[in-house]
Amino acid sequence: HRNRLLDAYAASTVFRYMQAVQQFSRTVSKLGFDLVDLSVPQLVDCLTSMSYARSSSPDSMSGNFTLKALRWFKKIAGVPSLDIVYSPLADSFLKVRLTSDRKEAPPLPLWILFQWERRILYSQSSTFEIIMLGSFLFLAWSSLRFSDAQRLNVGSLVLTDTEVRGMVWRSKTRSNGHPFGILSSGICSTGTFTWLVKFLRAWDTLLADSSIASCDFLIPDLSEDGTWLSHEPLDYASALGIFVVCFRLPGRHLLDLIH
C-alpha cells in the first residue's frame, strides 16, 4: 500500500517533503506545542519560526515549502490533526505578495549555442566534447530539465529529416513522463548533417562499444578519452562544472579548458 501511494511522486520530492515534515515536528516540540492539539495560530508560529531560521541555518526549510509538505503529508498519511493546514491563515504563506522581482535565470545567448554547435561540427572534435556539448544543446532546444534528461531512454529517440522525438519516462511534474521534440536543423548547420546528427552518432558509437543494450539517461559519466567511467548518469555537480567551463570559453577545446 505504501509503495502504491508513493509511486506517483519522484523519490527526491518524497525525500524533501519528509525532511520538511520532520523539521516541522521538531520545531513544534521546541516551541512547547502539542502536534496532536496544534491550533492554527500555533501552526503559523511554527512556519514563521522555520522561515526565520533559514537566515542562520541554510538547511532549514522555508515556511511555504513546509506548508506544501504538510499538505502532501496530510493527503498521503491522512493525519486528522493536520486539517488546519488548509485554514485561510495558513494559506496566506502561499499567497504572500513579493516585494521584489522574481530572480529568473537569464536565457543562454544564441552566440553561446552557435559556438557549441560549431565546436561539435569540427572534424577534430572528440567524443567527450560531442557528448557533453551536444547534451547541453539538447537540453536548451528541448526545454528539458537536467533531471528530466537523466530519465530519458536514448535508444527510443526517433530521428527524421526534420526533427527528433522522444519520451521522458519520468519528470519532476509527471510520474509517467511526457513527450518532447527538437528540430534537427541548427544555427550553423547546413544540409542534413547537423550537430544533432553528429551527437546521436556519437551516442550510437558509445552504445555499440559497450556491453549495455540500452541507456535511460542522456548525459553519461565519461572519461576524457570518451570511454565509460561507469554505466551511470553524470551527477549534477560534475555536469555543472563542465557547463561553466563551456559557457565561459565557448568554441575552445574542451579538454584543454578542463586541464
Side-chain angles (χ1 to χ4, degrees):
H1 297 325
R2 178 187 57 196
N3 293 339
R4 188 163 54 250
L5 284 173
L6 297 180
D7 188 58
Y9 304 93
S12 58
T13 300
V14 174
F15 180 76
R16 290 283 291 171
Y17 278 170
M18 290 306 300
Q19 273 190 321
V21 172
Q22 289 175 348
Q23 285 190 13
F24 176 78
S25 177
R26 289 194 293 267
T27 301
V28 170
S29 178
K30 290 178 181 179
L31 291 177
F33 301 147
D34 187 353
L35 186 60
V36 177
D37 298 321
L38 198 66
S39 65
V40 174
Q42 290 174 340
L43 167 68
V44 176
D45 285 345
C46 292
L47 296 176
T48 304
S49 175
M50 295 180 69
S51 296
Y52 288 156
R54 297 199 72 194
S55 59
S56 58
S57 178
D59 294 333
S60 298
M61 304 293 182
S62 64
N64 56 353
F65 181 82
T66 301
L67 183 59
K68 292 179 181 178
L70 291 173
R71 289 183 173 183
W72 170 84
F73 191 66
K74 160 64 182 174
K75 180 174 67 174
I76 291 295
V79 183
S81 61
L82 289 181
D83 290 338
I84 57 176
V85 298
Y86 292 99
S87 65
L89 184 57
D91 197 47
S92 65
F93 268 85
L94 303 178
K95 298 180 179 180
V96 175
R97 184 171 298 177
L98 297 177
T99 56
S100 60
D101 294 335
R102 290 181 179 270
K103 294 181 179 180
E104 299 289 348
L108 287 174
L110 288 177
W111 184 78
I112 294 289
L113 302 182
F114 171 81
Q115 294 294 338
W116 288 352
E117 284 190 17
R118 189 178 69 169
R119 185 66 210 176
I120 291 176
L121 292 171
Y122 280 162
S123 59
Q124 67 269 31
S125 58
S126 65
T127 299
F128 183 80
E129 287 181 301
I130 296 172
I131 293 296
M132 293 304 158
L133 294 177
S135 297
F136 298 150
L137 286 171
F138 199 99
L139 294 178
W141 292 122
S142 64
S143 297
L144 291 176
R145 299 180 179 89
F146 174 82
S147 59
D148 296 347
Q150 299 299 64
R151 298 180 175 92
L152 183 159
N153 193 330
V154 178
S156 67
L157 295 176
V158 178
L159 174 65
T160 69
D161 293 337
T162 58
E163 64 189 17
V164 166
R165 290 171 287 154
M167 188 81 179
V168 173
W169 51 267
R170 187 161 193 157
S171 69
K172 179 180 179 181
T173 56
R174 301 187 63 178
S175 61
N176 57 350
H178 60 80
F180 67 90
I182 310 175
L183 293 177
S184 58
S185 59
I187 299 176
C188 60
S189 304
T190 59
T192 58
F193 187 70
T194 66
W195 71 268
L196 189 55
V197 171
K198 194 170 182 180
F199 171 67
L200 294 179
R201 285 184 178 179
W203 247 116
D204 188 57
T205 302
L206 277 179
L207 293 177
D209 293 342
S210 67
S211 58
I212 57 176
S214 61
C215 189
D216 59 356
F217 48 84
L218 180 69
I219 311 178
D221 184 16
L222 295 181
S223 64
E224 296 177 0
D225 61 359
T227 58
W228 293 86
L229 286 174
S230 65
H231 289 163
E232 299 291 337
L234 188 65
D235 61 90
Y236 180 81
S238 300
L240 181 60
I242 297 173
F243 174 85
V244 170
V245 172
C246 297
F247 182 81
R248 289 178 175 174
L249 295 170
R252 299 279 299 279
H253 198 287
L254 181 55
L255 298 183
D256 292 340
L257 297 176
I258 292 176
H259 293 305

